[in-house]
């Protein structure tokens, strides 16, 4: 019969599928588990890539930081945020080349990463939101958490309008109005008022949002919650904890999975608008809006304005902070943070002190030389004002009370 | 699917002696039969146990008929997804069944033998393509292609019938139904082809000898004799349509509410689970998604049971089991 034939053809089709999948861009919704360092020999080494332009934090001149390179078991395991996956892959590759420690990171989503970290099946978790009090309590049996901000990302309002002469400028009220469904035409007076000289067409606005639970949605809705009381009323029923999060009850629009799904949705409709990660928009040349921040300045989303948003006068001691609608005058207002989450006393959770040393040494490298990997991949690096507190956080890690770093 | 007339006299040659080979064989079959049922029951019991908090909070009728799905408010209603699953499957079947049966007839009855092979290979190939490829193709190619057709229907019939009204954002129940129909056409066509090809040569020739045309052969012999086999093929296609996940989620628009029109965005049971389970960390959210899985399981059992009943009725009418 045809069974043998179908099977062979099936294999061909499957290969094609994998190929197409691989080409469909980053930010996949699936959960790849990759030993990032497997490809270390083909990539440039850390030393080669950190040139003079490297985002080496200003507070610690290159050369001042030395690395112990503890081997431990030769590998470290982490899980969580899909957003940070490309950066951690590159960091893992470079750190393996430098110190010979492999990093296995499962990008299963921040929620999954926190669960795995809580159940102590990974050495660290990575999350696009700091731990909720309930999550800290759930992990209390293993000890106190330390949350270390390692990178920053932004979410942009991307759109598809043919023949515009300049990027559209938006105020917080416009962004909220579009995603609430109260502003429905591109030539709405509110948009026209902010965009003198731009020939805005009489096109319907067609909103696309994420359908999968996502840190991108969390950053975006946290911003809307911070700037728009109407948003809190309409989406959260007046409760800001319900109007911000990885999934909210959208008043309007289509749902699409992943940054690539949202982008596809925007591109297919003249007048489409949605929100995607800055890194994704930059890599794929998607037009996005310039946003007015809290200080009243219109800010173009960029790595510089993201870094500016993260550059605060002071940070809370536990490093749980929120950059939505930042006070920073040159900061882009829809900025989010990704934290690496570890236990403070690693003696309760890790098999050996060697492994704890390997983890601490990797984190120390990640907040210093590892930051050079951020800019080329369109991630915001740690600002100088934050570095001292990040260093203190890593130095607070201990083995039954004995500090792991000198 | 093919019939094999049982060779006469095999029982005369080999009578079961005590617990000989036949006994062992029979016992093995029984064990296997039980093993097939165990996972299904286990899955049902286990998913029900997992979802007890959901049933306690909303009640079974409350959950199944609930219209609002809002994890951020801990409100979970399954009806928009049940509606989406049934509607997309119905659209898919309405398109796929006639096309697939016609393709099967074309291959077995009309085409010359050489072309027959090539078309059959093409159909088998379509059946082997993974659903994610159909989803990508649906999203990138089919949705834009369908748009003018949708707008035309919404602009004419849609003015009268709300079920066909605009707006037409692209991703919709209709788009999902079309993509799924393309996925199940090869399944139904390939199986129907085998059924039609098994029509006894004598009966065909009898009709031709009486002066019947090719159409007479199809009408009086091929279709009546193959009816029950084709229904079995349709059941398999329907099962895939109900459970299809990835391709549907890419083209249905993922809106957790009941759209008034077939051109509205919607959601299905399988696709909402795939979309939301990874990051489900709201209160009762994972449990509610598992409960949707249970609803999907029950719907599959009901629809398949119904289809099997219909098939048996047809088979009785012809007096022949395929």
């Amino acid at each position: 019969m045809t069974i043998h034939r179908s099977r062979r053809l099936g294999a061909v089709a499957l290969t094609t599928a994998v190929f197409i999948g691989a080409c469909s861009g980053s930010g996949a919704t699936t959960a790849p588990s990759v030993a990032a360092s497997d490809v270390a020999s083909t990539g440039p080494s850390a030393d080669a890539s950190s040139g003079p332009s490297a985002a080496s934090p200003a507070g610690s001149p290159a050369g001042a930081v030395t690395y112990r390179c503890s081997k431990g078991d030769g590998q470290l395991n982490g899980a969580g945020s899909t957003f940070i996956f490309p950066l951690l892959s590159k960091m893992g590759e470079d750190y393996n080349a430098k110190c010979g420690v492999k990093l296995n990171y499962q990008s299963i989503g921040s929620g999954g990463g926190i669960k795995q970290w809580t159940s102590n099946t990974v050495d660290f978790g990575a999350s696009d939101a700091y731990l909720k009090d309930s999550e800290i309590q759930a992990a209390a049996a293993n000890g106190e958490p330390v949350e270390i901000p390692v990178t920053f990302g932004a979410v942009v309002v991307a759109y598809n309008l043919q023949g515009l002469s300049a990027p559209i400028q938006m105020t917080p009220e416009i962004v909220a109005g579009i995603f609430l469904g109260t502003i429905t035409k591109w030539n709405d007076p509110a948009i026209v008022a902010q965009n003198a000289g731009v020939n805005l067409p009489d096109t319907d606005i067609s909103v696309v949002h994420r359908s999968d639970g996502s840190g991108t949605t969390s950053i975006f809705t946290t911003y809307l919650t911070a700037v728009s009381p109407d948003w809190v009323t309409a989406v959260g029923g007046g409760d800001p904890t319900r109007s911000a999060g990885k999934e909210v009850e959208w008043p309007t629009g289509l749902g699409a999975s992943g940054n690539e799904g949202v982008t596809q949705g925007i591109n297919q409709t003249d007048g489409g608008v949605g929100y995607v990660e800055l890194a994704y928009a930059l890599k794929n040349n998607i037009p996005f809006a310039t946003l007015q921040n809290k200080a009243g300045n219109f800010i173009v989303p960029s790595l510089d304005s993201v870094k500016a948003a993260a550059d605060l006068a002071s940070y809370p001691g536990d490093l749980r902070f929120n950059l939505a609608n930042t006070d920073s005058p040159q900061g882009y207002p829809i900025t989010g943070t990704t934290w690496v989450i570890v236990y403070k006393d690693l003696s309760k959770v890790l098999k050996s002190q060697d492994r704890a040393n390997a983890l601490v040494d990797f984190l120390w490298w990640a907040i210093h030389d590892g930051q050079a990997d951020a800019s080329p991949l369109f991630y915001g690096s740690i600002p100088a004002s934050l570095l001292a507190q990040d260093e203190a956080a890593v130095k607070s890690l201990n083995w039954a009370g004995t500090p792991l770093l000198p | 699917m093919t019939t094999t007339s049982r060779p006469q006299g095999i029982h005369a040659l080999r009578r079961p002696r005590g617990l000989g080979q036949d006994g062992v064989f029979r016992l093995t079959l029984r064990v296997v039969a039980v093993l097939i049922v165990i996972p299904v029951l286990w899955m049902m019991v286990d998913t029900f146990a997992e979802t007890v908090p959901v049933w306690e909070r909303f009640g079974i009728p409350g959950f199944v008929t609930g219209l609002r799905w809002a994890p951020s408010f801990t409100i979970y209603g399954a009806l928009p997804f049940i509606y989406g699953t049934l509607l997309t499957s119905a659209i898919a079947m309405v398109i796929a069944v006639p096309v697939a049966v016609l393709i099967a007839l074309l291959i077995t009855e009309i085409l010359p033998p050489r072309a027959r092979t090539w078309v059959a290979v093409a159909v088998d190939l379509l059946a082997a393509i993974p659903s994610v490829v159909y989803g990508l193709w649906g999203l990138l190619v089919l949705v834009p292609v369908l748009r003018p057709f949708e707008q035309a229907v919404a602009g004419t019939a849609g003015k009268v019938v709300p079920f066909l009204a605009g707006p037409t954002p692209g991703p919709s129940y209709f788009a999902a139904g079309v993509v799924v129909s393309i996925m199940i056409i090869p399944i139904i066509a390939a199986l129907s082809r085998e059924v039609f090809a098994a029509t006894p040569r004598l009966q065909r020739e009898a009709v031709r000898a009486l002066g019947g045309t090719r159409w007479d052969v199809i009408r009086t012999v091929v279709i009546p004799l193959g009816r029950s086999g084709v229904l079995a093929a349709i059941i398999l296609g329907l099962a895939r349509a109900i459970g299809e996940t990835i391709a549907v989620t890419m083209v249905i628009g993922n809106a957790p509410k009941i759209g008034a029109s077939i051109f509205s965005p919607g959601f299905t049971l399988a696709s909402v689970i795939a979309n939301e389970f990874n990051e489900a960390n709201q209160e009762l959210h994972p449990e509610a998604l598992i409960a949707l899985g249970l609803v999907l399981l029950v719907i599959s059992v009901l629809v398949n049971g119904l289809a099997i009943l219909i098939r048996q009725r047809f088979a009785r009418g012809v007096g022949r089991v395929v």
Side-chain angles (χ1 to χ4, degrees):
Chain A
M1 295 277 206
T2 57
I3 290 172
H4 291 292
R5 200 186 302 142
S6 322
R7 195 178 293 156
R8 210 180 315 132
L9 293 169
V12 173
L14 187 63
T15 315
T16 317
V18 169
F19 177 70
I20 292 173
C23 290
S24 70
S26 67
T29 52
T30 48
S33 167
V34 168
S37 46
D38 283 351
V39 285
S41 55
T42 58
S45 76
D47 300 330
S49 66
S50 55
S53 67
S56 175
S60 54
V65 184
T66 53
Y67 301 106
R68 203 167 44 170
C69 277
S70 304
K71 284 270 195 305
D73 309 319
Q75 60 171 2
L76 291 168
N77 299 324
S81 160
T82 49
F83 168 72
I84 202 179
F85 175 60
L87 177 60
L88 273 183
S89 292
K90 183 70 169 70
M91 281 186 172
E93 202 178 286
D94 291 348
Y95 190 67
N96 191 28
K98 185 177 177 61
C99 296
V101 175
K102 274 175 78 166
L103 181 67
N104 304 307
Y105 183 72
Q106 309 164 38
S107 74
I108 56 174
S110 301
I114 290 172
K115 269 180 216 158
Q116 288 217 19
W117 170 79
T118 306
S119 57
N120 200 22
T121 54
V122 289
D123 301 319
F124 67 90
S127 172
D128 302 335
Y130 55 77
L131 294 174
K132 293 184 239 171
D133 290 342
S134 60
E135 287 167 334
I136 291 177
Q137 308 226 307
N142 291 324
E144 191 186 333
V146 174
E147 303 178 56
I148 307 160
V150 289
T151 193
F152 302 89
V155 175
V156 300
V157 178
Y159 56 83
N160 171 20
L161 274 180
Q162 302 303 319
L164 287 190
S165 48
I168 296 179
Q169 297 196 332
M170 291 187 184
T171 60
E173 293 73 31
I174 294 175
V175 180
I178 287 175
F179 285 89
L180 279 168
T182 53
I183 295 178
T184 57
K185 291 272 188 189
W186 278 106
N187 62 353
D188 187 282
I191 305 179
V192 172
Q194 300 296 335
N195 293 277
V198 180
N199 52 329
L200 289 159
D202 179 34
T203 310
D204 286 334
I205 294 178
S206 160
V207 171
V208 187
H209 55 74
R210 291 283 287 265
S211 58
D212 49 332
S214 159
T216 310
T217 302
S218 180
I219 292 171
F220 186 65
T221 54
T222 302
Y223 165 74
L224 287 175
T225 298
V227 297
S228 169
D230 288 350
W231 176 265
V232 179
T233 310
V235 177
D239 179 352
T241 62
R242 298 190 198 283
S243 64
K246 285 174 189 155
E247 42 202 10
V248 298
E249 199 176 16
W250 291 97
T252 184
L254 291 175
S257 184
N259 284 302
E260 62 279 12
V262 170
T263 304
Q264 194 58 40
I266 297 169
N267 286 343
Q268 269 181 6
T269 313
D270 189 28
V273 64
Y275 58 92
V276 293
E277 281 164 16
L278 170 66
Y280 189 83
L282 288 175
K283 268 180 266 182
N284 294 283
N285 287 317
I286 303 163
F288 45 71
T290 301
L291 288 196
Q292 190 178 38
N293 70 7
K294 201 174 188 176
N297 300 320
F298 282 94
I299 305 293
V300 177
S302 68
L303 292 183
D304 287 339
S305 60
V306 167
K307 198 170 173 181
D311 194 359
L312 303 181
S314 69
Y315 301 87
D318 56 6
L319 292 174
R320 295 158 81 196
F321 54 82
N322 185 351
L323 295 177
N325 203 24
T326 178
D327 292 322
S328 166
Q330 293 308 316
Y332 179 71
I334 320 182
T335 299
T337 311
T338 304
W339 286 263
V340 163
I341 299 172
V342 287
Y343 291 104
K344 185 174 255 178
D345 179 358
L346 293 162
S347 68
K348 282 190 206 160
V349 288
L350 296 187
K351 275 178 297 190
S352 67
Q353 194 168 349
D354 282 350
R355 196 169 178 112
N357 280 329
L359 176 61
V360 171
D361 287 355
F362 168 71
L363 292 175
W364 188 254
W365 176 85
I367 63 170
H368 293 103
D369 277 14
Q371 292 293 311
D373 289 332
S375 293
L377 296 170
F378 302 106
Y379 287 86
S381 50
I382 298 170
S385 52
L386 176 61
L387 184 64
Q389 266 180 274
D390 262 10
E391 287 178 339
V394 177
K395 281 187 169 166
S396 75
L397 303 179
N398 61 73
W399 188 266
T402 314
L404 288 159
L405 273 178
Chain B
M1 289 304 116
T2 55
T3 47
T4 45
S5 56
R6 186 192 290 157
Q8 295 298 313
I10 193 159
H11 288 283
L13 286 173
R14 256 184 188 239
R15 288 192 173 283
R17 278 180 237 130
L19 249 177
Q21 287 178 335
D22 273 8
V24 173
F25 185 56
R26 208 175 302 141
L27 191 70
T28 311
L29 288 187
R30 278 184 192 158
V31 170
V32 172
V34 172
L35 284 180
I36 290 173
V37 178
I38 286 175
V40 177
L41 290 179
W42 189 1
M43 214 182 286
M44 285 196 149
V45 171
D46 211 48
T47 42
F48 191 82
E50 288 261 345
T51 54
V52 164
V54 175
W55 310 118
E56 277 175 353
R57 174 83 68 99
F58 303 102
I60 291 176
F63 182 74
V64 172
T65 62
L67 280 167
R68 188 168 171 212
W69 179 267
S72 52
F73 289 87
T74 324
I75 293 172
Y76 301 99
L79 200 58
F81 312 112
I82 296 172
Y83 176 80
T85 299
L86 295 179
L87 180 58
T88 52
S89 301
I91 294 169
M93 298 314 284
V94 164
I95 299 170
V97 169
V99 174
V101 171
L102 286 177
I103 289 174
L105 286 173
L106 178 79
I107 293 172
T108 57
E109 309 299 319
I110 311 292
L111 288 178
R114 189 175 289 182
R116 208 173 277 188
T117 315
W118 283 105
V119 177
V121 168
V123 171
D124 287 350
L125 177 58
L126 282 175
I129 294 176
S131 58
V132 65
V133 177
Y134 278 104
L136 277 176
W137 175 79
L139 180 66
L140 299 177
V141 180
L142 192 68
V143 166
V145 168
L146 287 175
R147 181 72 69 77
F149 169 77
E150 293 177 356
Q151 280 164 347
V153 172
T156 51
K159 297 252 189 270
V160 191
V161 189
F163 190 57
L164 298 172
T168 56
S172 61
Y173 296 114
F174 178 70
V178 172
V179 169
V180 172
S181 76
I182 295 168
M183 297 173 67
I184 61 178
I185 282 172
I187 297 174
I188 302 176
L191 294 171
S192 302
R193 186 188 76 217
E194 299 289 338
V195 172
F196 293 148
T199 311
R201 193 185 174 83
L202 272 177
Q203 305 214 20
R204 292 170 188 272
E205 287 178 353
V207 176
R208 296 307 288 265
L210 290 169
T213 60
R214 270 183 177 176
W215 167 240
D216 290 325
V217 174
I218 292 171
R219 191 172 52 86
T220 59
V221 179
V222 177
I223 289 181
L225 289 185
R227 200 153 49 182
S228 124
V230 170
L231 277 164
I234 292 173
I235 294 171
L236 279 178
L238 180 60
R240 179 154 187 198
I242 289 174
E244 181 46 47
T245 308
I246 295 300
V248 166
T249 198
M250 293 171 94
V251 297
I252 200 169
N254 304 320
K257 48 192 146 198
I258 294 184
S261 159
I262 59 170
F263 303 128
S264 311
F267 230 146
T268 66
L269 289 162
S271 56
V272 73
I273 297 170
N275 256 293
E276 296 189 357
F277 199 79
N278 264 358
E279 289 279 354
N281 57 359
Q282 309 269 17
E283 189 191 357
L284 282 183
H285 194 186
E287 291 83 0
L289 288 169
I290 297 170
L292 289 183
L294 190 61
V295 171
L296 180 58
L297 199 59
V298 170
I299 289 181
S300 301
V301 170
L302 288 181
V303 170
N304 279 297
L306 190 69
I308 290 166
L309 280 182
I310 295 172
R311 181 185 153 212
Q312 281 174 345
R313 245 185 100 79
F314 271 103
R316 215 180 296 142
V318 183
R320 181 168 183 269
V321 178
V322 176

